[in-house]
Amino acid sequence: MSSKIIIAVDGYSACGKSSTAKIVAQRLNYSYIDTGAMYRAVTLYFLQNYISLTNPKEVHKALEHIDIDFVFNERIHDSETFLNNKNVESEIRKMYISEQVSPVSAIKEVRSFLVAQQQKLGKKGGVVMDGRDIGTTVFPLAELKLFFTADFNVRAQRRQQELLEKKQMVEFDEILQNLRHRDEIDTTRKESPLVKAPDAYVLDTTYLAFDDQVDYVVKLAKEAIRRKEEVLGLTNKS
Ligand code: DC
């Protein structure tokens, strides 16, 4: 039996979830799955194909034509998102997708379509999955759950910096507005809203140095792995 665990990383946008989750996965030799990228890829498809978000039949039909993959790119040592065999990694990070992704991810059919794929991807364990509902809906029995939060202005500064690194210049106010709008939809939607799982550790990253936050999560992960090994009777008792 495997002692590889599932690590669920949830929380608000731009709190350092994905950058932390990625490095934690590398340190544990686990795979990393960015579920936000999946919602972004669906949003791109809906926009490209003029899918009406209020027409469930149209949404249902469109989902049948969506295939999402993550492909590791050796050159950049990172995995990239593919939509129907096309690399959409940089497109899905653009502001026009950030502006539309929350309403798309509030649609019930979209959620059940993606949650089923996420459960398939993570079921064997050995995975760090980041999103909004991983510890509550996708893997409610995950062995380690984390909930990321940070000061609102710090989040916006970090997002602006991230976009600048991708050569996208976006006004600070536009970013603030986008984060506020997404927080509002993500936390109040009917279908699995963003909430902290009762058994999740809260990480306020406002004043945390990145390396410290990674070390802390790795430490929690090792403790959770150890607990699982004890339950499975895999620990060396000598
Ligand atoms: O992690 P991100 O900012 O790239 O996610 C984009 C949007 O996708 C986010 O505003 C809400 C949605 N999302 C979701 O509803 N559930 C998830 N598990 C992941 C993302």
Side-chain angles (χ1 to χ4, degrees), residues 41-86:
V42 169
T43 304
L44 176 63
Y45 183 91
F46 281 9
L47 288 175
Q48 284 175 338
N49 293 280
Y50 307 99
I51 305 301
S52 157
L53 304 188
T54 52
N55 182 337
K57 267 197 188 147
E58 212 175 300
V59 166
H60 184 79
K61 210 161 174 357
L63 290 172
E64 287 175 0
H65 294 98
I66 294 182
D67 180 41
I68 300 166
D69 270 322
F70 294 110
V71 179
F72 193 77
N73 181 336
E74 294 287 347
R75 195 176 51 81
I76 55 167
H77 290 281
D78 209 346
S79 79
E80 294 178 309
T81 314
F82 279 64
L83 168 64
N84 296 335
N85 297 318
K86 187 166 180 269

mmCIF file of all heavy atoms in Angstrom, residues 41-86:
data_model
loop_
_atom_site.group_PDB
_atom_site.id
_atom_site.type_symbol
_atom_site.label_atom_id
_atom_site.label_comp_id
_atom_site.label_asym_id
_atom_site.label_seq_id
_atom_site.Cartn_x
_atom_site.Cartn_y
_atom_site.Cartn_z
ATOM 1 N N ALA A 41 -8.792 27.172 -18.735
ATOM 2 C CA ALA A 41 -8.833 26.579 -20.082
ATOM 3 C C ALA A 41 -10.281 26.455 -20.566
ATOM 4 O O ALA A 41 -10.588 26.745 -21.734
ATOM 5 C CB ALA A 41 -8.143 25.211 -20.072
ATOM 6 N N VAL A 42 -11.187 26.058 -19.666
ATOM 7 C CA VAL A 42 -12.605 25.971 -20.048
ATOM 8 C C VAL A 42 -13.123 27.365 -20.429
ATOM 9 O O VAL A 42 -13.838 27.539 -21.418
ATOM 10 C CB VAL A 42 -13.449 25.365 -18.891
ATOM 11 C CG1 VAL A 42 -14.935 25.517 -19.153
ATOM 12 C CG2 VAL A 42 -13.093 23.890 -18.694
ATOM 13 N N THR A 43 -12.712 28.373 -19.652
ATOM 14 C CA THR A 43 -13.143 29.749 -19.933
ATOM 15 C C THR A 43 -12.677 30.180 -21.325
ATOM 16 O O THR A 43 -13.439 30.777 -22.105
ATOM 17 C CB THR A 43 -12.560 30.707 -18.868
ATOM 18 O OG1 THR A 43 -12.976 30.245 -17.594
ATOM 19 C CG2 THR A 43 -13.018 32.136 -19.076
ATOM 20 N N LEU A 44 -11.428 29.851 -21.660
ATOM 21 C CA LEU A 44 -10.894 30.204 -22.979
ATOM 22 C C LEU A 44 -11.727 29.545 -24.078
ATOM 23 O O LEU A 44 -12.114 30.193 -25.052
ATOM 24 C CB LEU A 44 -9.414 29.771 -23.067
ATOM 25 C CG LEU A 44 -8.731 29.986 -24.401
ATOM 26 C CD1 LEU A 44 -8.665 31.472 -24.763
ATOM 27 C CD2 LEU A 44 -7.302 29.397 -24.386
ATOM 28 N N TYR A 45 -12.030 28.257 -23.888
ATOM 29 C CA TYR A 45 -12.818 27.546 -24.901
ATOM 30 C C TYR A 45 -14.196 28.197 -25.064
ATOM 31 O O TYR A 45 -14.663 28.423 -26.180
ATOM 32 C CB TYR A 45 -12.975 26.068 -24.512
ATOM 33 C CG TYR A 45 -13.706 25.271 -25.550
ATOM 34 C CD1 TYR A 45 -13.019 24.625 -26.574
ATOM 35 C CD2 TYR A 45 -15.112 25.199 -25.557
ATOM 36 C CE1 TYR A 45 -13.701 23.916 -27.562
ATOM 37 C CE2 TYR A 45 -15.799 24.504 -26.532
ATOM 38 C CZ TYR A 45 -15.083 23.861 -27.533
ATOM 39 O OH TYR A 45 -15.760 23.183 -28.514
ATOM 40 N N PHE A 46 -14.838 28.525 -23.938
ATOM 41 C CA PHE A 46 -16.179 29.132 -23.998
ATOM 42 C C PHE A 46 -16.129 30.484 -24.723
ATOM 43 O O PHE A 46 -17.019 30.803 -25.505
ATOM 44 C CB PHE A 46 -16.734 29.340 -22.577
ATOM 45 C CG PHE A 46 -17.289 28.088 -21.940
ATOM 46 C CD1 PHE A 46 -17.106 26.841 -22.535
ATOM 47 C CD2 PHE A 46 -17.997 28.148 -20.750
ATOM 48 C CE1 PHE A 46 -17.615 25.680 -21.947
ATOM 49 C CE2 PHE A 46 -18.521 27.001 -20.161
ATOM 50 C CZ PHE A 46 -18.321 25.767 -20.751
ATOM 51 N N LEU A 47 -15.083 31.258 -24.455
ATOM 52 C CA LEU A 47 -14.988 32.574 -25.110
ATOM 53 C C LEU A 47 -14.724 32.412 -26.610
ATOM 54 O O LEU A 47 -15.339 33.086 -27.433
ATOM 55 C CB LEU A 47 -13.868 33.406 -24.477
ATOM 56 C CG LEU A 47 -14.138 33.940 -23.075
ATOM 57 C CD1 LEU A 47 -12.906 34.634 -22.511
ATOM 58 C CD2 LEU A 47 -15.317 34.924 -23.076
ATOM 59 N N GLN A 48 -13.813 31.488 -26.935
ATOM 60 C CA GLN A 48 -13.470 31.291 -28.357
ATOM 61 C C GLN A 48 -14.660 30.777 -29.157
ATOM 62 O O GLN A 48 -14.765 31.002 -30.354
ATOM 63 C CB GLN A 48 -12.320 30.289 -28.482
ATOM 64 C CG GLN A 48 -10.976 30.890 -28.120
ATOM 65 C CD GLN A 48 -9.861 29.847 -28.127
ATOM 66 O OE1 GLN A 48 -10.107 28.645 -27.998
ATOM 67 N NE2 GLN A 48 -8.630 30.298 -28.254
ATOM 68 N N ASN A 49 -15.550 30.050 -28.477
ATOM 69 C CA ASN A 49 -16.665 29.424 -29.196
ATOM 70 C C ASN A 49 -18.024 30.071 -28.885
ATOM 71 O O ASN A 49 -19.069 29.502 -29.198
ATOM 72 C CB ASN A 49 -16.688 27.924 -28.894
ATOM 73 C CG ASN A 49 -15.475 27.230 -29.483
ATOM 74 O OD1 ASN A 49 -15.427 26.929 -30.663
ATOM 75 N ND2 ASN A 49 -14.455 27.022 -28.661
ATOM 76 N N TYR A 50 -17.960 31.251 -28.299
ATOM 77 C CA TYR A 50 -19.175 32.033 -28.009
ATOM 78 C C TYR A 50 -20.244 31.216 -27.281
ATOM 79 O O TYR A 50 -21.427 31.254 -27.633
ATOM 80 C CB TYR A 50 -19.770 32.623 -29.311
ATOM 81 C CG TYR A 50 -18.765 33.401 -30.116
ATOM 82 C CD1 TYR A 50 -18.125 32.821 -31.210
ATOM 83 C CD2 TYR A 50 -18.413 34.697 -29.747
ATOM 84 C CE1 TYR A 50 -17.163 33.513 -31.936
ATOM 85 C CE2 TYR A 50 -17.456 35.399 -30.462
ATOM 86 C CZ TYR A 50 -16.837 34.800 -31.552
ATOM 87 O OH TYR A 50 -15.890 35.490 -32.244
ATOM 88 N N ILE A 51 -19.819 30.463 -26.275
ATOM 89 C CA ILE A 51 -20.778 29.641 -25.524
ATOM 90 C C ILE A 51 -21.541 30.516 -24.532
ATOM 91 O O ILE A 51 -20.934 31.291 -23.790
ATOM 92 C CB ILE A 51 -20.044 28.497 -24.770
ATOM 93 C CG1 ILE A 51 -19.203 27.645 -25.729
ATOM 94 C CG2 ILE A 51 -21.041 27.642 -23.964
ATOM 95 C CD1 ILE A 51 -19.951 26.977 -26.847
ATOM 96 N N SER A 52 -22.862 30.383 -24.553
ATOM 97 C CA SER A 52 -23.672 31.173 -23.624
ATOM 98 C C SER A 52 -23.641 30.509 -22.240
ATOM 99 O O SER A 52 -24.050 29.360 -22.079
ATOM 100 C CB SER A 52 -25.114 31.249 -24.154
ATOM 101 O OG SER A 52 -25.972 31.525 -23.074
ATOM 102 N N LEU A 53 -23.191 31.279 -21.238
ATOM 103 C CA LEU A 53 -23.035 30.722 -19.888
ATOM 104 C C LEU A 53 -24.375 30.421 -19.237
ATOM 105 O O LEU A 53 -24.450 29.669 -18.268
ATOM 106 C CB LEU A 53 -22.242 31.687 -18.987
ATOM 107 C CG LEU A 53 -20.856 32.114 -19.476
ATOM 108 C CD1 LEU A 53 -20.142 32.910 -18.390
ATOM 109 C CD2 LEU A 53 -20.016 30.920 -19.897
ATOM 110 N N THR A 54 -25.434 31.016 -19.777
ATOM 111 C CA THR A 54 -26.739 30.826 -19.148
ATOM 112 C C THR A 54 -27.562 29.737 -19.848
ATOM 113 O O THR A 54 -28.722 29.521 -19.519
ATOM 114 C CB THR A 54 -27.533 32.144 -19.151
ATOM 115 O OG1 THR A 54 -27.538 32.626 -20.501
ATOM 116 C CG2 THR A 54 -26.922 33.171 -18.221
ATOM 117 N N ASN A 55 -26.946 29.062 -20.826
ATOM 118 C CA ASN A 55 -27.663 28.004 -21.534
ATOM 119 C C ASN A 55 -27.037 26.639 -21.184
ATOM 120 O O ASN A 55 -26.031 26.238 -21.771
ATOM 121 C CB ASN A 55 -27.575 28.291 -23.047
ATOM 122 C CG ASN A 55 -28.340 27.278 -23.874
ATOM 123 O OD1 ASN A 55 -28.589 26.147 -23.435
ATOM 124 N ND2 ASN A 55 -28.696 27.678 -25.075
ATOM 125 N N PRO A 56 -27.635 25.921 -20.200
ATOM 126 C CA PRO A 56 -27.021 24.678 -19.720
ATOM 127 C C PRO A 56 -26.783 23.647 -20.827
ATOM 128 O O PRO A 56 -25.785 22.929 -20.810
ATOM 129 C CB PRO A 56 -28.014 24.145 -18.685
ATOM 130 C CG PRO A 56 -28.915 25.274 -18.367
ATOM 131 C CD PRO A 56 -28.878 26.226 -19.525
ATOM 132 N N LYS A 57 -27.689 23.579 -21.818
ATOM 133 C CA LYS A 57 -27.533 22.600 -22.910
ATOM 134 C C LYS A 57 -26.273 22.899 -23.716
ATOM 135 O O LYS A 57 -25.500 22.005 -24.072
ATOM 136 C CB LYS A 57 -28.746 22.658 -23.839
ATOM 137 C CG LYS A 57 -29.804 21.661 -23.438
ATOM 138 C CD LYS A 57 -30.769 21.453 -24.578
ATOM 139 C CE LYS A 57 -31.937 20.609 -24.084
ATOM 140 N NZ LYS A 57 -33.168 20.955 -24.734
ATOM 141 N N GLU A 58 -26.098 24.194 -24.010
ATOM 142 C CA GLU A 58 -24.935 24.623 -24.787
ATOM 143 C C GLU A 58 -23.644 24.341 -24.003
ATOM 144 O O GLU A 58 -22.663 23.866 -24.567
ATOM 145 C CB GLU A 58 -25.074 26.124 -25.051
ATOM 146 C CG GLU A 58 -24.478 26.545 -26.370
ATOM 147 C CD GLU A 58 -24.752 28.022 -26.633
ATOM 148 O OE1 GLU A 58 -25.944 28.395 -26.689
ATOM 149 O OE2 GLU A 58 -23.785 28.778 -26.762
ATOM 150 N N VAL A 59 -23.700 24.638 -22.703
ATOM 151 C CA VAL A 59 -22.534 24.411 -21.838
ATOM 152 C C VAL A 59 -22.193 22.923 -21.826
ATOM 153 O O VAL A 59 -21.042 22.514 -22.021
ATOM 154 C CB VAL A 59 -22.808 24.925 -20.400
ATOM 155 C CG1 VAL A 59 -21.786 24.414 -19.412
ATOM 156 C CG2 VAL A 59 -22.845 26.455 -20.390
ATOM 157 N N HIS A 60 -23.210 22.090 -21.641
ATOM 158 C CA HIS A 60 -23.029 20.644 -21.575
ATOM 159 C C HIS A 60 -22.384 20.121 -22.864
ATOM 160 O O HIS A 60 -21.435 19.346 -22.843
ATOM 161 C CB HIS A 60 -24.392 19.993 -21.348
ATOM 162 C CG HIS A 60 -24.306 18.518 -21.172
ATOM 163 N ND1 HIS A 60 -23.931 17.950 -19.979
ATOM 164 C CD2 HIS A 60 -24.489 17.495 -22.053
ATOM 165 C CE1 HIS A 60 -23.914 16.643 -20.122
ATOM 166 N NE2 HIS A 60 -24.237 16.344 -21.370
ATOM 167 N N LYS A 61 -22.892 20.581 -24.004
ATOM 168 C CA LYS A 61 -22.389 20.134 -25.303
ATOM 169 C C LYS A 61 -20.933 20.584 -25.498
ATOM 170 O O LYS A 61 -20.085 19.834 -25.972
ATOM 171 C CB LYS A 61 -23.270 20.729 -26.407
ATOM 172 C CG LYS A 61 -23.334 19.849 -27.613
ATOM 173 C CD LYS A 61 -24.530 20.191 -28.474
ATOM 174 C CE LYS A 61 -24.589 19.445 -29.767
ATOM 175 N NZ LYS A 61 -23.613 18.568 -30.183
ATOM 176 N N ALA A 62 -20.668 21.821 -25.080
ATOM 177 C CA ALA A 62 -19.316 22.361 -25.246
ATOM 178 C C ALA A 62 -18.312 21.541 -24.431
ATOM 179 O O ALA A 62 -17.209 21.231 -24.905
ATOM 180 C CB ALA A 62 -19.277 23.824 -24.805
ATOM 181 N N LEU A 63 -18.711 21.151 -23.229
ATOM 182 C CA LEU A 63 -17.779 20.414 -22.365
ATOM 183 C C LEU A 63 -17.351 19.090 -23.003
ATOM 184 O O LEU A 63 -16.242 18.612 -22.773
ATOM 185 C CB LEU A 63 -18.410 20.164 -20.979
ATOM 186 C CG LEU A 63 -18.580 21.420 -20.111
ATOM 187 C CD1 LEU A 63 -19.381 21.106 -18.851
ATOM 188 C CD2 LEU A 63 -17.226 22.025 -19.727
ATOM 189 N N GLU A 64 -18.242 18.525 -23.824
ATOM 190 C CA GLU A 64 -17.896 17.249 -24.486
ATOM 191 C C GLU A 64 -16.731 17.419 -25.459
ATOM 192 O O GLU A 64 -16.107 16.450 -25.861
ATOM 193 C CB GLU A 64 -19.110 16.712 -25.253
ATOM 194 C CG GLU A 64 -20.164 16.167 -24.327
ATOM 195 C CD GLU A 64 -21.421 15.751 -25.075
ATOM 196 O OE1 GLU A 64 -21.478 15.892 -26.320
ATOM 197 O OE2 GLU A 64 -22.361 15.300 -24.393
ATOM 198 N N HIS A 65 -16.470 18.668 -25.856
ATOM 199 C CA HIS A 65 -15.402 18.913 -26.838
ATOM 200 C C HIS A 65 -14.136 19.455 -26.192
ATOM 201 O O HIS A 65 -13.258 19.970 -26.873
ATOM 202 C CB HIS A 65 -15.887 19.898 -27.912
ATOM 203 C CG HIS A 65 -16.985 19.328 -28.739
ATOM 204 N ND1 HIS A 65 -18.322 19.604 -28.497
ATOM 205 C CD2 HIS A 65 -16.953 18.442 -29.765
ATOM 206 C CE1 HIS A 65 -19.054 18.924 -29.350
ATOM 207 N NE2 HIS A 65 -18.254 18.215 -30.132
ATOM 208 N N ILE A 66 -14.091 19.382 -24.867
ATOM 209 C CA ILE A 66 -12.926 19.954 -24.179
ATOM 210 C C ILE A 66 -12.041 18.865 -23.598
ATOM 211 O O ILE A 66 -12.493 18.009 -22.840
ATOM 212 C CB ILE A 66 -13.389 20.915 -23.056
ATOM 213 C CG1 ILE A 66 -14.090 22.116 -23.686
ATOM 214 C CG2 ILE A 66 -12.210 21.361 -22.192
ATOM 215 C CD1 ILE A 66 -14.556 23.153 -22.699
ATOM 216 N N ASP A 67 -10.764 18.937 -23.989
ATOM 217 C CA ASP A 67 -9.797 17.984 -23.466
ATOM 218 C C ASP A 67 -8.627 18.795 -22.893
ATOM 219 O O ASP A 67 -8.014 19.588 -23.601
ATOM 220 C CB ASP A 67 -9.346 17.095 -24.645
ATOM 221 C CG ASP A 67 -8.346 16.066 -24.190
ATOM 222 O OD1 ASP A 67 -8.543 15.506 -23.096
ATOM 223 O OD2 ASP A 67 -7.355 15.853 -24.916
ATOM 224 N N ILE A 68 -8.379 18.625 -21.598
ATOM 225 C CA ILE A 68 -7.311 19.408 -20.951
ATOM 226 C C ILE A 68 -6.192 18.482 -20.506
ATOM 227 O O ILE A 68 -6.443 17.430 -19.909
ATOM 228 C CB ILE A 68 -7.867 20.171 -19.725
ATOM 229 C CG1 ILE A 68 -8.976 21.128 -20.164
ATOM 230 C CG2 ILE A 68 -6.758 20.949 -19.008
ATOM 231 C CD1 ILE A 68 -9.811 21.665 -19.021
ATOM 232 N N ASP A 69 -4.967 18.903 -20.795
ATOM 233 C CA ASP A 69 -3.788 18.106 -20.410
ATOM 234 C C ASP A 69 -2.734 19.006 -19.812
ATOM 235 O O ASP A 69 -2.664 20.189 -20.156
ATOM 236 C CB ASP A 69 -3.130 17.512 -21.673
ATOM 237 C CG ASP A 69 -3.688 16.176 -22.013
ATOM 238 O OD1 ASP A 69 -3.962 15.410 -21.083
ATOM 239 O OD2 ASP A 69 -3.864 15.932 -23.231
ATOM 240 N N PHE A 70 -1.888 18.413 -18.976
ATOM 241 C CA PHE A 70 -0.702 19.132 -18.501
ATOM 242 C C PHE A 70 0.505 18.403 -19.075
ATOM 243 O O PHE A 70 0.628 17.193 -18.904
ATOM 244 C CB PHE A 70 -0.636 19.130 -16.971
ATOM 245 C CG PHE A 70 -1.750 19.917 -16.336
ATOM 246 C CD1 PHE A 70 -2.764 19.284 -15.630
ATOM 247 C CD2 PHE A 70 -1.798 21.298 -16.452
ATOM 248 C CE1 PHE A 70 -3.796 20.005 -15.052
ATOM 249 C CE2 PHE A 70 -2.832 22.032 -15.883
ATOM 250 C CZ PHE A 70 -3.823 21.380 -15.180
ATOM 251 N N VAL A 71 1.373 19.148 -19.751
ATOM 252 C CA VAL A 71 2.549 18.526 -20.373
ATOM 253 C C VAL A 71 3.802 19.173 -19.807
ATOM 254 O O VAL A 71 3.918 20.409 -19.793
ATOM 255 C CB VAL A 71 2.507 18.702 -21.918
ATOM 256 C CG1 VAL A 71 3.736 18.072 -22.572
ATOM 257 C CG2 VAL A 71 1.231 18.095 -22.488
ATOM 258 N N PHE A 72 4.725 18.323 -19.340
ATOM 259 C CA PHE A 72 5.946 18.867 -18.745
ATOM 260 C C PHE A 72 6.878 19.376 -19.841
ATOM 261 O O PHE A 72 7.155 18.667 -20.808
ATOM 262 C CB PHE A 72 6.637 17.797 -17.881
ATOM 263 C CG PHE A 72 7.712 18.394 -17.018
ATOM 264 C CD1 PHE A 72 7.376 19.103 -15.862
ATOM 265 C CD2 PHE A 72 9.047 18.285 -17.361
ATOM 266 C CE1 PHE A 72 8.363 19.680 -15.067
ATOM 267 C CE2 PHE A 72 10.041 18.861 -16.575
ATOM 268 C CZ PHE A 72 9.691 19.559 -15.425
ATOM 269 N N ASN A 73 7.342 20.615 -19.684
ATOM 270 C CA ASN A 73 8.271 21.202 -20.647
ATOM 271 C C ASN A 73 9.671 21.216 -20.025
ATOM 272 O O ASN A 73 9.932 21.959 -19.083
ATOM 273 C CB ASN A 73 7.798 22.632 -20.982
ATOM 274 C CG ASN A 73 8.693 23.322 -21.989
ATOM 275 O OD1 ASN A 73 9.866 22.978 -22.140
ATOM 276 N ND2 ASN A 73 8.151 24.312 -22.675
ATOM 277 N N GLU A 74 10.547 20.368 -20.560
ATOM 278 C CA GLU A 74 11.906 20.213 -20.003
ATOM 279 C C GLU A 74 12.655 21.545 -19.997
ATOM 280 O O GLU A 74 13.427 21.835 -19.086
ATOM 281 C CB GLU A 74 12.725 19.220 -20.852
ATOM 282 C CG GLU A 74 12.216 17.789 -20.808
ATOM 283 C CD GLU A 74 12.506 17.098 -19.484
ATOM 284 O OE1 GLU A 74 13.304 17.647 -18.697
ATOM 285 O OE2 GLU A 74 11.902 16.037 -19.219
ATOM 286 N N ARG A 75 12.436 22.357 -21.044
ATOM 287 C CA ARG A 75 13.186 23.599 -21.201
ATOM 288 C C ARG A 75 12.951 24.567 -20.045
ATOM 289 O O ARG A 75 13.875 25.183 -19.539
ATOM 290 C CB ARG A 75 12.800 24.253 -22.541
ATOM 291 C CG ARG A 75 13.737 25.354 -23.008
ATOM 292 C CD ARG A 75 13.335 25.879 -24.375
ATOM 293 N NE ARG A 75 11.920 26.240 -24.451
ATOM 294 C CZ ARG A 75 11.394 27.378 -24.015
ATOM 295 N NH1 ARG A 75 12.162 28.290 -23.468
ATOM 296 N NH2 ARG A 75 10.093 27.612 -24.120
ATOM 297 N N ILE A 76 11.694 24.647 -19.605
ATOM 298 C CA ILE A 76 11.391 25.593 -18.522
ATOM 299 C C ILE A 76 11.195 24.883 -17.175
ATOM 300 O O ILE A 76 10.860 25.514 -16.173
ATOM 301 C CB ILE A 76 10.158 26.475 -18.854
ATOM 302 C CG1 ILE A 76 8.935 25.594 -19.187
ATOM 303 C CG2 ILE A 76 10.437 27.426 -19.991
ATOM 304 C CD1 ILE A 76 7.635 26.377 -19.200
ATOM 305 N N HIS A 77 11.366 23.564 -17.174
ATOM 306 C CA HIS A 77 11.195 22.757 -15.950
ATOM 307 C C HIS A 77 9.845 23.000 -15.293
ATOM 308 O O HIS A 77 9.755 23.169 -14.080
ATOM 309 C CB HIS A 77 12.324 23.045 -14.930
ATOM 310 C CG HIS A 77 13.629 22.509 -15.376
ATOM 311 N ND1 HIS A 77 13.958 21.175 -15.264
ATOM 312 C CD2 HIS A 77 14.663 23.114 -15.981
ATOM 313 C CE1 HIS A 77 15.152 20.982 -15.780
ATOM 314 N NE2 HIS A 77 15.603 22.136 -16.229
ATOM 315 N N ASP A 78 8.836 23.050 -16.097
ATOM 316 C CA ASP A 78 7.505 23.320 -15.567
ATOM 317 C C ASP A 78 6.481 22.674 -16.497
ATOM 318 O O ASP A 78 6.774 22.440 -17.672
ATOM 319 C CB ASP A 78 7.285 24.846 -15.533
ATOM 320 C CG ASP A 78 6.331 25.244 -14.422
ATOM 321 O OD1 ASP A 78 5.655 24.359 -13.865
ATOM 322 O OD2 ASP A 78 6.273 26.447 -14.111
ATOM 323 N N SER A 79 5.282 22.422 -15.955
ATOM 324 C CA SER A 79 4.296 21.841 -16.859
ATOM 325 C C SER A 79 3.402 22.946 -17.420
ATOM 326 O O SER A 79 3.215 23.995 -16.796
ATOM 327 C CB SER A 79 3.524 20.713 -16.184
ATOM 328 O OG SER A 79 2.553 21.240 -15.367
ATOM 329 N N GLU A 80 2.898 22.693 -18.613
ATOM 330 C CA GLU A 80 2.087 23.702 -19.309
ATOM 331 C C GLU A 80 0.712 23.116 -19.627
ATOM 332 O O GLU A 80 0.568 21.905 -19.804
ATOM 333 C CB GLU A 80 2.794 24.125 -20.599
ATOM 334 C CG GLU A 80 4.103 24.849 -20.309
ATOM 335 C CD GLU A 80 4.853 25.241 -21.566
ATOM 336 O OE1 GLU A 80 5.061 24.367 -22.433
ATOM 337 O OE2 GLU A 80 5.229 26.414 -21.686
ATOM 338 N N THR A 81 -0.264 24.015 -19.703
ATOM 339 C CA THR A 81 -1.644 23.590 -19.925
ATOM 340 C C THR A 81 -1.937 23.511 -21.422
ATOM 341 O O THR A 81 -1.654 24.449 -22.174
ATOM 342 C CB THR A 81 -2.602 24.615 -19.278
ATOM 343 O OG1 THR A 81 -2.125 24.908 -17.969
ATOM 344 C CG2 THR A 81 -4.021 24.104 -19.216
ATOM 345 N N PHE A 82 -2.533 22.380 -21.825
ATOM 346 C CA PHE A 82 -2.922 22.186 -23.219
ATOM 347 C C PHE A 82 -4.445 22.046 -23.291
ATOM 348 O O PHE A 82 -5.035 21.314 -22.493
ATOM 349 C CB PHE A 82 -2.266 20.928 -23.812
ATOM 350 C CG PHE A 82 -0.850 21.165 -24.256
ATOM 351 C CD1 PHE A 82 0.144 21.494 -23.336
ATOM 352 C CD2 PHE A 82 -0.508 21.076 -25.605
ATOM 353 C CE1 PHE A 82 1.451 21.733 -23.748
ATOM 354 C CE2 PHE A 82 0.799 21.321 -26.029
ATOM 355 C CZ PHE A 82 1.778 21.655 -25.099
ATOM 356 N N LEU A 83 -5.040 22.765 -24.227
ATOM 357 C CA LEU A 83 -6.478 22.659 -24.467
ATOM 358 C C LEU A 83 -6.645 22.071 -25.860
ATOM 359 O O LEU A 83 -6.174 22.667 -26.851
ATOM 360 C CB LEU A 83 -7.121 24.059 -24.384
ATOM 361 C CG LEU A 83 -8.567 24.196 -24.873
ATOM 362 C CD1 LEU A 83 -9.534 23.390 -24.019
ATOM 363 C CD2 LEU A 83 -8.974 25.677 -24.874
ATOM 364 N N ASN A 84 -7.259 20.904 -25.944
ATOM 365 C CA ASN A 84 -7.420 20.197 -27.225
ATOM 366 C C ASN A 84 -6.106 20.187 -28.026
ATOM 367 O O ASN A 84 -6.061 20.623 -29.184
ATOM 368 C CB ASN A 84 -8.571 20.806 -28.024
ATOM 369 C CG ASN A 84 -9.896 20.628 -27.308
ATOM 370 O OD1 ASN A 84 -10.052 19.695 -26.507
ATOM 371 N ND2 ASN A 84 -10.841 21.514 -27.526
ATOM 372 N N ASN A 85 -5.067 19.738 -27.348
ATOM 373 C CA ASN A 85 -3.722 19.570 -27.941
ATOM 374 C C ASN A 85 -3.001 20.858 -28.303
ATOM 375 O O ASN A 85 -1.993 20.830 -28.998
ATOM 376 C CB ASN A 85 -3.766 18.658 -29.193
ATOM 377 C CG ASN A 85 -4.230 17.278 -28.820
ATOM 378 O OD1 ASN A 85 -3.816 16.738 -27.787
ATOM 379 N ND2 ASN A 85 -5.122 16.717 -29.622
ATOM 380 N N LYS A 86 -3.502 21.989 -27.860
ATOM 381 C CA LYS A 86 -2.831 23.256 -28.153
ATOM 382 C C LYS A 86 -2.317 23.855 -26.845
ATOM 383 O O LYS A 86 -3.043 23.871 -25.847
ATOM 384 C CB LYS A 86 -3.847 24.201 -28.816
ATOM 385 C CG LYS A 86 -3.234 25.462 -29.318
ATOM 386 C CD LYS A 86 -4.200 26.200 -30.248
ATOM 387 C CE LYS A 86 -3.545 27.477 -30.736
ATOM 388 N NZ LYS A 86 -3.797 28.617 -29.916
#
